[in-house]
Coordinates of all heavy atoms in Angstrom, one line a residue:
A173 N 0.8 -1.2 0.0 CA 0.0 0.0 0.0 C 0.9 1.3 0.0 O 0.6 2.2 -0.7 CB -0.9 0.0 1.2
H174 N 1.9 1.2 0.8 CA 2.9 2.4 0.8 C 3.5 2.6 -0.6 O 3.6 3.7 -1.1 CB 3.9 2.1 1.9 CG 5.0 3.2 1.9 ND1 4.8 4.4 2.4 CD2 6.3 3.1 1.4 CE1 6.0 5.1 2.3 NE2 6.9 4.4 1.7
N175 N 4.0 1.5 -1.2 CA 4.7 1.6 -2.5 C 3.7 2.1 -3.6 O 4.2 2.6 -4.6 CB 5.3 0.3 -2.9 CG 6.4 -0.1 -2.0 OD1 7.0 0.7 -1.3 ND2 6.8 -1.4 -1.9
N176 N 2.4 1.9 -3.4 CA 1.5 2.2 -4.4 C 0.7 3.5 -4.0 O -0.4 3.7 -4.6 CB 0.6 1.0 -4.7 CG 1.3 -0.1 -5.5 OD1 1.3 -0.1 -6.7 ND2 1.8 -1.0 -4.7
G177 N 1.2 4.2 -3.1 CA 0.6 5.5 -2.8 C -0.8 5.5 -2.1 O -1.5 6.5 -2.1
L178 N -1.1 4.4 -1.4 CA -2.4 4.3 -0.7 C -2.3 4.7 0.8 O -3.4 4.7 1.4 CB -2.9 2.9 -0.8 CG -3.2 2.3 -2.2 CD1 -3.7 0.9 -2.1 CD2 -4.2 3.2 -2.9
L179 N -1.1 5.0 1.2 CA -1.0 5.4 2.6 C -0.7 6.9 2.8 O -0.3 7.4 3.9 CB 0.0 4.6 3.4 CG -0.4 3.1 3.6 CD1 0.7 2.3 4.2 CD2 -1.6 3.1 4.6
K180 N -0.7 7.6 1.7 CA -0.5 9.1 1.7 C -1.3 9.8 0.6 O -1.2 9.4 -0.6 CB 1.0 9.3 1.4 CG 1.4 10.8 1.5 CD 2.9 10.9 1.3 CE 3.3 12.4 1.5 NZ 4.8 12.6 1.2
Q181 N -2.1 10.7 1.1 CA -2.9 11.5 0.1 C -2.1 12.5 -0.7 O -1.3 13.2 -0.1 CB -4.0 12.2 0.9 CG -5.2 12.6 0.0 CD -6.3 13.2 0.8 OE1 -6.2 13.9 1.7 NE2 -7.6 12.7 0.4
N182 N -2.3 12.5 -2.0 CA -1.6 13.5 -2.8 C -2.5 13.8 -4.0 O -3.7 13.4 -4.1 CB -0.3 12.9 -3.3 CG -0.4 11.6 -4.0 OD1 -1.2 11.4 -4.9 ND2 0.4 10.6 -3.5
N183 N -2.0 14.6 -5.0 CA -2.7 15.0 -6.1 C -3.2 13.9 -7.0 O -4.1 14.0 -7.8 CB -1.9 16.0 -6.9 CG -1.7 17.3 -6.2 OD1 -2.5 17.7 -5.3 ND2 -0.6 18.0 -6.4
F184 N -2.5 12.8 -7.0 CA -2.8 11.6 -7.8 C -3.9 10.7 -7.3 O -4.5 10.0 -8.0 CB -1.5 10.8 -8.1 CG -0.5 11.6 -8.8 CD1 0.6 12.1 -8.1 CD2 -0.6 11.8 -10.2 CE1 1.6 12.8 -8.8 CE2 0.4 12.6 -10.8 CZ 1.5 13.1 -10.1
N185 N -4.1 10.8 -5.9 CA -5.1 10.0 -5.3 C -5.9 10.7 -4.2 O -5.9 10.3 -3.1 CB -4.5 8.7 -4.8 CG -3.4 9.0 -3.7 OD1 -3.1 10.1 -3.5 ND2 -2.9 7.9 -3.1
K186 N -6.5 11.8 -4.7 CA -7.2 12.7 -3.7 C -8.4 11.9 -3.0 O -8.8 12.4 -2.0 CB -7.8 13.9 -4.5 CG -6.7 14.8 -5.0 CD -7.2 16.0 -5.7 CE -6.1 16.9 -6.2 NZ -6.7 18.2 -6.9
N187 N -8.9 10.9 -3.6 CA -10.0 10.2 -3.1 C -9.6 9.1 -2.0 O -10.4 8.5 -1.4 CB -10.8 9.4 -4.2 CG -11.4 10.4 -5.1 OD1 -11.9 11.5 -4.7 ND2 -11.5 10.0 -6.4
I188 N -8.3 9.0 -1.8 CA -7.8 8.0 -0.9 C -7.6 8.6 0.5 O -7.0 9.7 0.7 CB -6.4 7.4 -1.3 CG1 -6.6 6.6 -2.6 CG2 -5.7 6.6 -0.2 CD1 -7.4 5.3 -2.4
D189 N -8.2 7.9 1.5 CA -8.0 8.3 2.9 C -7.1 7.3 3.5 O -7.4 6.1 3.7 CB -9.4 8.3 3.6 CG -9.3 8.7 5.1 OD1 -8.1 8.7 5.6 OD2 -10.3 9.0 5.7
P190 N -5.8 7.7 3.9 CA -4.9 6.8 4.5 C -5.4 6.0 5.7 O -5.1 4.8 5.9 CB -3.7 7.7 4.9 CG -3.8 8.8 4.0 CD -5.3 9.1 3.8
N191 N -6.3 6.6 6.5 CA -6.8 5.9 7.6 C -7.7 4.8 7.2 O -7.8 3.7 7.8 CB -7.6 6.9 8.5 CG -6.7 7.9 9.2 OD1 -5.6 7.5 9.6 ND2 -7.1 9.1 9.3
L192 N -8.5 5.0 6.1 CA -9.4 3.9 5.6 C -8.5 2.8 5.0 O -8.9 1.6 5.1 CB -10.3 4.5 4.5 CG -11.5 5.3 5.0 CD1 -12.3 5.8 3.9 CD2 -12.3 4.5 6.0
T193 N -7.4 3.2 4.4 CA -6.5 2.2 3.9 C -5.9 1.3 5.0 O -5.9 0.0 4.9 CB -5.3 2.8 3.2 OG1 -5.7 3.6 2.1 CG2 -4.3 1.8 2.6
K194 N -5.6 1.9 6.1 CA -5.0 1.1 7.2 C -6.1 0.2 7.8 O -5.8 -1.0 8.1 CB -4.6 2.1 8.3 CG -3.4 2.9 8.0 CD -3.0 3.9 9.1 CE -1.8 4.8 8.7 NZ -1.5 5.8 9.7
K195 N -7.3 0.7 7.9 CA -8.4 -0.2 8.3 C -8.7 -1.4 7.4 O -8.9 -2.5 7.8 CB -9.7 0.6 8.5 CG -9.7 1.6 9.6 CD -11.0 2.4 9.7 CE -10.9 3.4 10.9 NZ -12.2 4.2 11.0
L196 N -8.6 -1.1 6.1 CA -8.7 -2.2 5.1 C -7.6 -3.2 5.2 O -7.9 -4.4 5.1 CB -8.8 -1.6 3.7 CG -8.9 -2.6 2.5 CD1 -10.1 -3.5 2.7 CD2 -8.9 -1.8 1.2
I197 N -6.4 -2.7 5.5 CA -5.3 -3.6 5.6 C -5.5 -4.6 6.8 O -5.3 -5.8 6.6 CB -4.0 -2.8 5.9 CG1 -3.5 -2.2 4.6 CG2 -2.9 -3.8 6.4 CD1 -2.4 -1.2 4.7
Y198 N -6.0 -4.1 7.9 CA -6.3 -5.0 9.0 C -7.4 -5.9 8.8 O -7.4 -7.1 9.2 CB -6.6 -4.1 10.3 CG -5.3 -3.7 11.0 CD1 -4.7 -2.5 10.7 CD2 -4.8 -4.5 12.0 CE1 -3.5 -2.1 11.4 CE2 -3.7 -4.1 12.7 CZ -3.0 -2.9 12.4 OH -1.9 -2.6 13.1
K199 N -8.4 -5.4 8.0 CA -9.6 -6.3 7.7 C -9.1 -7.4 6.8 O -9.6 -8.6 6.9 CB -10.7 -5.5 7.1 CG -11.4 -4.6 8.1 CD -12.5 -3.8 7.4 CE -13.2 -2.9 8.5 NZ -14.3 -2.1 7.8
L200 N -8.3 -7.2 5.9 CA -7.8 -8.2 4.9 C -6.9 -9.2 5.7 O -7.0 -10.4 5.5 CB -7.0 -7.5 3.8 CG -7.8 -6.8 2.8 CD1 -6.9 -6.0 1.8 CD2 -8.7 -7.7 2.0
A201 N -6.0 -8.7 6.5 CA -5.1 -9.5 7.3 C -5.9 -10.4 8.3 O -5.5 -11.6 8.5 CB -4.1 -8.7 8.0
N202 N -7.0 -9.9 8.8 CA -7.7 -10.6 9.8 C -8.6 -11.7 9.2 O -9.2 -12.5 9.9 CB -8.6 -9.7 10.6 CG -7.8 -8.9 11.6 OD1 -6.7 -9.3 12.0 ND2 -8.4 -7.8 12.1
I203 N -8.7 -11.8 7.9 CA -9.4 -12.9 7.2 C -8.8 -14.2 7.7 O -9.6 -15.2 7.9 CB -9.3 -12.8 5.7 CG1 -10.1 -11.6 5.2 CG2 -9.9 -14.0 5.0 CD1 -10.1 -11.4 3.7
C204 N -7.5 -14.3 7.9 CA -6.9 -15.5 8.3 C -7.4 -16.0 9.7 O -7.3 -17.2 10.0 CB -5.4 -15.4 8.3 SG -4.7 -14.2 9.4
L205 N -7.8 -15.0 10.5 CA -8.3 -15.4 11.8 C -9.7 -16.0 11.8 O -10.1 -16.7 12.7 CB -8.2 -14.2 12.7 CG -6.9 -13.5 12.8 CD1 -7.0 -12.3 13.8 CD2 -5.8 -14.4 13.3
E206 N -10.5 -15.7 10.8 CA -11.8 -16.2 10.6 C -11.9 -17.4 9.7 O -12.9 -18.2 9.8 CB -12.7 -15.1 10.1 CG -12.8 -13.8 10.9 CD -13.7 -12.7 10.3 OE1 -14.8 -13.1 9.9 OE2 -13.3 -11.6 10.2
Y207 N -10.9 -17.6 8.9 CA -10.9 -18.7 7.9 C -10.7 -20.0 8.6 O -9.8 -20.2 9.5 CB -9.7 -18.4 7.0 CG -9.6 -19.5 5.9 CD1 -10.5 -19.5 4.8 CD2 -8.5 -20.4 5.9 CE1 -10.4 -20.5 3.9 CE2 -8.4 -21.3 4.9 CZ -9.3 -21.4 3.9 OH -9.2 -22.3 2.9
D208 N -11.5 -21.0 8.3 CA -11.5 -22.3 8.9 C -11.3 -23.4 7.9 O -11.6 -24.6 8.1 CB -12.7 -22.6 9.8 CG -14.0 -22.6 8.9 OD1 -13.9 -22.4 7.7 OD2 -15.1 -22.8 9.5
G209 N -10.9 -23.1 6.7 CA -10.7 -24.1 5.6 C -11.8 -24.0 4.6 O -11.7 -24.6 3.5
D210 N -12.8 -23.2 4.8 CA -13.9 -23.1 3.9 C -13.7 -21.8 3.1 O -13.8 -20.7 3.6 CB -15.3 -23.0 4.6 CG -16.5 -22.9 3.7 OD1 -16.3 -22.9 2.5 OD2 -17.6 -22.9 4.2
M211 N -13.4 -22.0 1.8 CA -13.2 -20.8 0.9 C -14.3 -19.9 0.8 O -14.2 -18.7 0.4 CB -12.7 -21.3 -0.5 CG -11.3 -21.8 -0.5 SD -10.1 -20.6 0.1 CE -10.3 -19.2 -1.1
K212 N -15.5 -20.4 1.1 CA -16.7 -19.5 1.1 C -16.6 -18.3 2.0 O -17.0 -17.2 1.8 CB -18.0 -20.3 1.3 CG -19.3 -19.5 1.1 CD -20.5 -20.3 1.3 CE -21.8 -19.6 0.9 NZ -21.9 -18.3 1.7
I213 N -15.9 -18.6 3.2 CA -15.7 -17.6 4.2 C -14.8 -16.5 3.6 O -15.1 -15.3 3.7 CB -15.1 -18.1 5.4 CG1 -16.1 -19.1 6.1 CG2 -14.6 -17.0 6.4 CD1 -15.5 -19.8 7.4
F214 N -13.8 -16.9 2.9 CA -12.8 -16.0 2.2 C -13.6 -15.2 1.2 O -13.5 -13.9 1.2 CB -11.7 -16.8 1.6 CG -10.7 -16.0 0.8 CD1 -9.5 -15.6 1.5 CD2 -10.9 -15.6 -0.5 CE1 -8.6 -14.8 0.8 CE2 -10.0 -14.8 -1.1 CZ -8.8 -14.4 -0.5
E215 N -14.3 -15.8 0.3 CA -15.0 -15.1 -0.7 C -16.1 -14.1 -0.2 O -16.3 -13.0 -0.7 CB -15.7 -16.1 -1.7 CG -14.8 -17.1 -2.3 CD -13.9 -16.4 -3.3 OE1 -14.1 -15.2 -3.6 OE2 -12.9 -17.1 -3.9
D216 N -16.8 -14.5 0.9 CA -17.9 -13.7 1.5 C -17.3 -12.4 2.1 O -17.8 -11.3 1.9 CB -18.6 -14.5 2.6 CG -19.5 -15.5 2.0 OD1 -19.8 -15.5 0.8 OD2 -20.0 -16.4 2.8
I217 N -16.1 -12.5 2.7 CA -15.5 -11.4 3.4 C -15.0 -10.4 2.3 O -15.2 -9.2 2.4 CB -14.3 -11.8 4.3 CG1 -14.9 -12.6 5.5 CG2 -13.6 -10.6 4.8 CD1 -13.8 -13.1 6.4
I218 N -14.4 -11.0 1.2 CA -13.9 -10.1 0.1 C -15.1 -9.4 -0.5 O -15.0 -8.2 -0.8 CB -13.2 -11.0 -0.9 CG1 -11.9 -11.5 -0.4 CG2 -12.9 -10.2 -2.2 CD1 -10.9 -10.5 0.0

């Protein structure tokens, strides 16, 4: 996210809120905590 400019607002991505990006990162990473082997869980969260 940092390398692709999602953690810093600038003229190229004025619609990006770095705080929302951080929350999304945690939500994506936390999928592994809910995942129990059923890919439907993965797909539903996405």
Side-chain angles (χ1 to χ4, degrees):
H174 173 76
N175 292 340
N176 287 273
L178 298 180
L179 287 174
K180 185 178 181 180
Q181 194 172 47
N182 54 50
N183 292 331
F184 298 101
N185 57 358
K186 294 181 179 180
N187 295 325
I188 293 294
D189 181 344
N191 291 322
L192 287 179
T193 299
K194 292 177 183 178
K195 291 180 180 179
L196 177 57
I197 287 172
Y198 274 89
K199 288 179 180 180
L200 288 171
N202 285 340
I203 291 178
C204 64
L205 306 180
E206 301 181 46
Y207 180 72
D208 64 358
D210 184 356
M211 283 305 296
K212 188 175 185 304
I213 294 176
F214 180 95
E215 301 291 352
D216 286 347
I217 296 177
I218 293 298

